[in-house]
Amino acid sequence: NYFYANPNRVVLGTPTTLYWSCSPNDVFVRIRDQNTMEKWEFENRPSGSLVVYPSQATYYLLHCIYAGKFLAKSISVNIDTGNIKPVISFSANPTNVVRGEPSTLSWSVMQAESCKAKRAWSGSKSLSGSEVVYPSKTSTYVLICSNQYHSASKGVVVRVGEPRPVITSFSASPDYITQGQKSTLSWTSLNSTGCQLSWPGNSINVKKSGRYNVYPTQTTTYTLSCNGAGGQSNPYYATVNVVESCSKKVYDQSYFRLYPSTAYYDVTGELVISMDQCLKGFEMEIYDLGGRKRYDSGLTTSSQITAYIGNLANGFYKAKLVAKIFIDGQRRNYNTKTEFKNFTVLK
């Protein structure tokens, strides 16, 4: 009945629509591109339409097939060479970066002979490719491509933000003190213009790096956050633990215990002290009845020492327990406490 293209003259890369009508209703329809030999087949579609994108001037052939017989008709579609325009696909990933971070420009071009870069980049570019850029500020990248008839351009924008502030260190020294003692908070940060130091009931502005002395009367957690052109940092925390002061009372209340083990042939000496931080050192020695030293732990900061006595013969022994205990809050002065305890080895 009919077979035609609308339009029958197109710009390269743009579509045209093929329309057909055949009889009877159960006819088999085949359409073929005579240049590319691509074909489309339709069963029980005596009439219809098909959108195609010709890449060159071509003929389309229609076959209407019924009962082993067919009718054929061809139509031509021409390309308007005077209006062939470059088609540019151009993108940036990501389009938002922090200053100093990369973005990848990617592009592909059809119907062009050459390309060049403008604005934030420069030079000749291939018809397809990618390039990594490191913009220091918000930048526009433009790609201009040409053929013998026309030129086209496309641009992408990469927006650049300032890096977010980062706290690189925050600590308290010492982090264990007694009431009235000083602890120094120290911190450093990057990409910041200033910081805030806060603790329960207080908040002060401080420099982006520095130190600050505190004298907490109870265990306190301090919070540091920093600001900059890129926003606010994640908070960091430092805790100063306030403990009871070492004193003569701690020394007087300390005492020794001895735990001989017949199952494992060892003996454990222990200093029972209410504040471990007041212990300067602890030592255990073992002597036989002849006064010969059979074991010496040496001075240790642990409050418990275990000696393995499997090499000792059956008999009576004496353990000497020695502890050096701080008696002042500054942990400068100490007293020495000594006690002897007897035990028996039976194997």
Side-chain angles (χ1 to χ4, degrees):
N1 296 328
Y2 57 80
F3 182 43
Y4 66 92
N6 184 25
N8 60 8
R9 188 179 186 87
V10 297
V11 174
L12 187 64
T14 61
T16 185
T17 303
L18 308 179
Y19 298 90
W20 74 89
S21 174
C22 301
S23 299
N25 287 338
D26 54 350
V27 71
F28 182 85
V29 173
R30 178 187 296 127
I31 298 175
R32 186 170 64 197
D33 184 327
Q34 293 294 81
N35 278 329
T36 65
M37 302 308 291
E38 182 179 7
K39 65 181 179 179
W40 302 266
E41 296 180 338
F42 307 95
E43 189 171 3
N44 297 323
R45 279 185 60 184
S47 62
S49 62
L50 174 68
V51 177
V52 293
Y53 290 80
S55 59
Q56 57 185 314
T58 188
Y59 285 90
Y60 291 95
L61 178 65
L62 171 70
H63 277 170
C64 297
I65 304 170
Y66 179 76
K69 299 180 180 181
F70 70 88
L71 292 176
K73 185 175 183 180
S74 65
I75 56 174
S76 63
V77 176
N78 296 312
I79 301 296
D80 188 351
T81 57
N83 286 311
I84 296 177
K85 295 182 179 180
V87 179
I88 302 173
S89 175
F90 187 28
S91 63
N93 184 32
T95 55
N96 293 276
V97 298
V98 171
R99 178 166 49 86
E101 291 184 348
S103 178
T104 300
L105 307 179
S106 302
W107 67 93
S108 62
V109 184
M110 297 175 57
Q111 301 159 200
E113 297 171 357
S114 63
C115 295
K116 59 183 178 180
K118 290 292 185 181
R119 298 290 293 272
W121 61 338
S122 61
S124 298
K125 303 299 176 184
S126 61
L127 297 183
S128 64
S130 64
E131 185 171 323
V132 178
V133 295
Y134 294 83
S136 59
K137 60 182 180 180
T138 296
S139 302
T140 300
Y141 298 85
V142 176
L143 187 65
I144 301 175
C145 300
S146 305
N147 58 30
Q148 60 179 323
Y149 306 106
H150 296 285
S151 65
S153 65
K154 189 170 184 180
V156 294
V157 177
V158 179
R159 291 177 172 80
V160 178
E162 291 297 321
R164 187 179 181 184
V166 176
I167 297 172
T168 52
S169 67
F170 182 42
S171 62
S173 180
D175 55 355
Y176 279 86
I177 62 171
T178 59
Q179 282 192 358
Q181 285 188 314
K182 174 183 72 174
S183 179
T184 300
L185 304 176
S186 304
W187 66 92
T188 57
S189 66
L190 293 174
N191 310 320
S192 64
T193 55
C195 303
Q196 293 79 44
L197 179 65
S198 59
W199 61 98
N202 295 275
S203 181
I204 60 173
N205 293 323
V206 293
K207 295 180 179 180
K208 59 183 181 180
S209 297
R211 295 184 173 185
Y212 186 78
N213 295 329
V214 294
Y215 301 83
T217 58
Q218 60 185 357
T219 297
T220 302
T221 296
Y222 297 86
T223 303
L224 181 73
S225 59
C226 297
N227 295 316
Q232 188 175 56
S233 70
N234 290 326
Y236 268 49
Y237 306 94
T239 299
V240 179
N241 299 277
V242 179
V243 297
E244 182 183 345
S245 175
C246 297
S247 65
K248 183 69 163 49
K249 178 182 176 182
V250 174
Y251 170 83
D252 291 338
Q253 292 179 345
S254 300
Y255 60 94
F256 296 104
R257 286 177 177 167
L258 196 70
Y259 303 96
S261 168
T262 57
Y264 297 101
Y265 302 115
D266 62 39
V267 59
T268 299
E270 179 187 26
L271 174 70
V272 180
I273 184 170
S274 61
M275 298 174 61
D276 286 341
Q277 66 268 22
C278 296
L279 176 62
K280 177 177 175 63
F282 180 43
E283 183 175 11
M284 182 172 71
E285 300 172 352
I286 296 176
Y287 296 87
D288 59 20
L289 288 182
R292 291 173 298 180
K293 185 185 294 187
R294 306 302 298 272
Y295 173 83
D296 187 350
S297 68
L299 197 65
T300 175
T301 56
S302 173
S303 61
Q304 192 175 81
I305 300 169
T306 298
Y308 294 92
I309 55 175
N311 61 336
L312 297 182
N314 288 348
F316 297 99
Y317 294 87
K318 179 181 293 187
K320 180 182 178 182
L321 304 172
V322 180
K324 297 178 179 181
I325 302 171
F326 289 112
I327 58 173
D328 63 328
Q330 288 72 37
R331 289 161 49 97
R332 295 174 182 169
N333 303 306
Y334 64 89
N335 284 350
T336 300
K337 180 172 284 193
T338 303
E339 188 171 314
F340 293 90
K341 291 186 176 291
N342 298 325
F343 65 95
T344 303
V345 174
L346 292 174
K347 299 179 181 178

